[in-house]
Amino acid sequence: MQSDQDQFGTAGTSSQDDTGRTSPGVGGAATARAEDRPKKAGSSGATRSTSVAQGPFRGQPRWLPRMSVIFIAMIGIAGSIWLFRQLSWLLAPVFLGLNLVIAFYPIYSGLTRRKWPRALAAIVMALALLSVVILAVASMAWAVGTLIGAIPSYVPRIQAMYGDLMQFLVQHHISADAVSGFYSRIDPNNVLSALTGVLGSISGSIGAGTVALTTILMLLVDSVGWKRRLGMVEVGHPRAIGAIRDFAHGTRRYWLVSMVFGAIMAGLNAIELKILNVPLMGVWVVLTFITTFIPSVGFFFAMVPPVIVALVVNGWQNALWLMAIYFVTTWIVQGFFQPKFTGNAVGVNITTSFISLLFWAWVFGPLGALIALPATQLVKSLVLDADPKSRWVSALIAPEPSVVGADPQT
C-alpha cells in the first residue's frame, strides 16, 4: 500500500499490483491509472507526459478570479502606456542612447580581451560612437537644409502644373465653382508652406539628440564597470541577467542588419536616381539610408519625395519609371526581406514587427518608429522570456515557435 497525492491536489490511498494498475483506496476514492500520471524524469522507459494541470498560476490566491487578475493587469498596462507617452521626450532619446552604446560595446570588450587598458578601450569605443553620431546628425541636417533651400525654385513649375490640371478639369465639364473651391483648399503656396513647416519640425526634433547624447556620454563612463556589475547581480537573479544579455545581443544584431540593408538600398537608389537624372540625388540617398531603420513602411517615405521632384522637374514619364524601379527594389527589399531579417534579429515575426512599429510610433512619436523593434525586444526579453509562466507567448510572436523552459501551468 502506498499513500500519494496527485497533481490536482486530491489525495487518496491506493494499492498497486504487478501489472502497474491502481485500484480504489480505502476511502473509496478512485485514482488515475499509474501510466496516465506524469512519470518522474530518469526512470527507465519513462516518456514525458504531455498532459498539463489546469488551474491558476502557482502563487495566485484561490479566492481571486482569473478575470479579475486579467482586468487588473490591463489597468496596469494602460497606466504604464499613458506614463510612457507623457515621458516620451525623455524615455525615447534615453533608450536610443542606450541602444547605441550597446551596439558599440563589443569594441570595448574586444579590446580588453586583447589586454588593452580599460580606460583606453573605453576612449576608443567613445570616439567610434561619437564619430558615427556626428556624421549621422550632420548628414540629416545637410539633407533637410538642402531640401528646404531647393523648394522655392520648384514653386513656378508646381503652379504651372497645377494650372494645367485645373484647366483639364474645366475642359471635362467640371463645375468652375468646384474647381475654385478645390484650388482654395490646396493652393500650392499653402502646400509648400506646410511642407516647409514639416521639414522644419523634423529638423527641430533633432533637439532630442541632446538628451540622447548626454545619455550616451554617461553610459560610456559607466560602461567600464558593466561586466562586473552584471556578474554580481547574476548570482541572485540569473534569469533577469540572462534576459538583459539576450536583449543586448538582439539589439546589436538589429542595428547591424539595419545598417547593412541601409547601405545596400542607398547604393541601389543612387544608381537609379543617377540613371534617371533626378535632382537632389544626395538628399534622397541620405533619406533612403535613414528610413531603412524604420521597418515595413520606411520605403514609402523614401520613395514619395524623389518621385514628386521627378514629376515636377522631369515629367510624369520619368516619375513613373522612378516609382516602378523603387517598387521593385525598395519595396521588395525594404518592405519584405528587411522586416524578416530584423524581426529574426530581435526574435519576433513580421506581423509583430509591423504592429510594434505602429504602437511605439504612437507612444513615442517619430522617434518611436526608429526604436520600435529594440523596444519590443526589451519587453519580450524582460517580461516574457525571463518569466517561465509567460514564455509560452513566444510561440505566438517569435519567427521560430518555441516554448522551451515554459511553465506548464495555464
Side-chain angles (χ1 to χ4, degrees):
M1 300 290 293
Q2 180 179 346
S3 177
D4 191 14
Q5 181 174 356
D6 63 14
Q7 59 181 335
F8 295 96
T10 57
T13 304
S14 62
S15 61
Q16 183 174 359
D17 57 18
D18 56 356
T19 64
R21 298 181 179 275
T22 57
S23 58
V26 177
T31 58
R33 295 172 57 188
E35 60 267 28
D36 291 336
R37 298 180 182 177
K39 298 182 179 180
K40 294 183 178 180
S43 59
S44 58
T47 58
R48 188 176 182 85
S49 173
T50 58
S51 62
V52 178
Q54 300 298 311
F57 286 125
R58 288 193 293 269
Q60 176 182 326
R62 293 183 179 275
W63 53 266
L64 187 62
R66 170 171 289 188
M67 289 305 300
S68 299
V69 176
I70 295 175
F71 183 70
I72 294 172
M74 291 176 63
I75 294 177
I77 293 173
S80 300
I81 294 173
W82 176 84
L83 183 62
F84 288 166
R85 294 197 68 184
Q86 297 301 312
L87 297 177
S88 60
W89 63 271
L90 173 65
L91 297 180
V94 166
F95 187 69
L96 176 61
L98 175 63
N99 272 255
L100 295 177
V101 174
I102 290 175
F104 281 79
Y105 187 75
I107 296 177
Y108 171 81
S109 59
L111 293 178
T112 53
R113 283 196 301 267
R114 290 173 172 82
K115 308 303 181 181
W116 281 48
R118 290 189 300 175
L120 182 58
I123 292 174
V124 173
M125 177 182 68
L127 291 176
L129 175 54
L130 294 177
S131 299
V132 172
V133 171
I134 293 174
L135 178 62
V137 173
S139 300
M140 293 171 58
W142 171 81
V144 172
T146 302
L147 184 58
I148 293 177
I151 285 177
S153 62
Y154 298 138
V155 171
R157 298 183 183 183
I158 295 177
Q159 289 178 332
M161 292 179 60
Y162 187 84
D164 294 340
L165 175 61
M166 294 299 101
Q167 185 178 3
F168 173 82
L169 294 177
V170 171
Q171 290 176 351
H172 287 74
H173 309 291
I174 297 177
S175 173
D177 295 335
V179 173
S180 177
F182 184 69
Y183 179 85
S184 63
R185 286 193 295 271
I186 59 171
D187 182 10
N189 292 322
N190 295 333
V191 174
L192 290 173
S193 299
L195 179 60
T196 304
V198 170
L199 294 175
S201 65
I202 293 175
S203 62
S205 66
I206 299 177
T210 304
V211 179
L213 182 60
T214 305
T215 303
I216 290 172
L217 295 176
M218 298 300 102
L219 290 173
L220 287 174
V221 174
D222 291 334
S223 62
V224 177
W226 276 5
K227 185 176 181 180
R228 184 170 59 90
R229 296 172 188 269
L230 293 177
M232 295 174 61
V233 177
E234 188 176 15
V235 176
H237 303 278
R239 287 179 180 171
I241 298 303
I244 292 175
R245 286 175 173 155
D246 288 343
F247 162 71
H249 181 62
T251 298
R252 294 188 192 103
R253 290 192 301 171
Y254 166 76
W255 290 106
L256 178 61
V257 170
S258 298
M259 184 179 66
V260 171
F261 270 97
I264 294 174
M265 294 311 308
L268 290 176
N269 288 349
I271 296 174
E272 300 161 4
L273 294 167
K274 183 66 174 179
I275 293 175
L276 295 176
N277 196 26
V278 179
L280 305 175
M281 182 184 72
V283 174
W284 312 135
V285 169
V286 172
L287 181 64
T288 298
F289 183 81
I290 294 173
T291 55
T292 304
F293 292 91
I294 304 176
S296 302
V297 299
F299 80 93
F300 177 79
F301 299 102
M303 178 186 69
V304 172
V307 168
I308 293 177
V309 172
L311 175 64
V312 172
V313 177
N314 299 334
W316 64 269
Q317 297 94 338
N318 186 272
L320 286 179
W321 273 110
L322 181 62
M323 182 182 296
I325 295 175
Y326 260 69
F327 265 110
V328 172
T329 57
T330 308
W331 181 73
I332 293 178
V333 176
Q334 193 174 342
F336 178 76
F337 288 104
Q338 183 188 350
K340 179 175 177 59
F341 281 94
T342 53
N344 289 340
V346 300
V348 297
N349 53 33
I350 297 179
T351 303
T352 305
S353 172
F354 179 69
I355 295 175
S356 67
L357 168 69
L358 301 179
F359 174 77
W360 292 113
W362 172 69
V363 173
F364 289 144
L367 192 56
L370 185 63
I371 60 176
L373 284 183
T376 302
Q377 162 77 4
L378 179 63
V379 174
K380 179 177 179 294
S381 298
L382 296 183
V383 178
L384 300 180
D385 295 343
D387 185 0
K389 291 183 292 187
S390 303
R391 202 171 294 168
W392 59 270
V393 180
S394 295
L396 304 178
I397 65 175
E400 296 294 335
S402 174
V403 291
V404 176
D407 194 322
Q409 291 287 339
T410 59

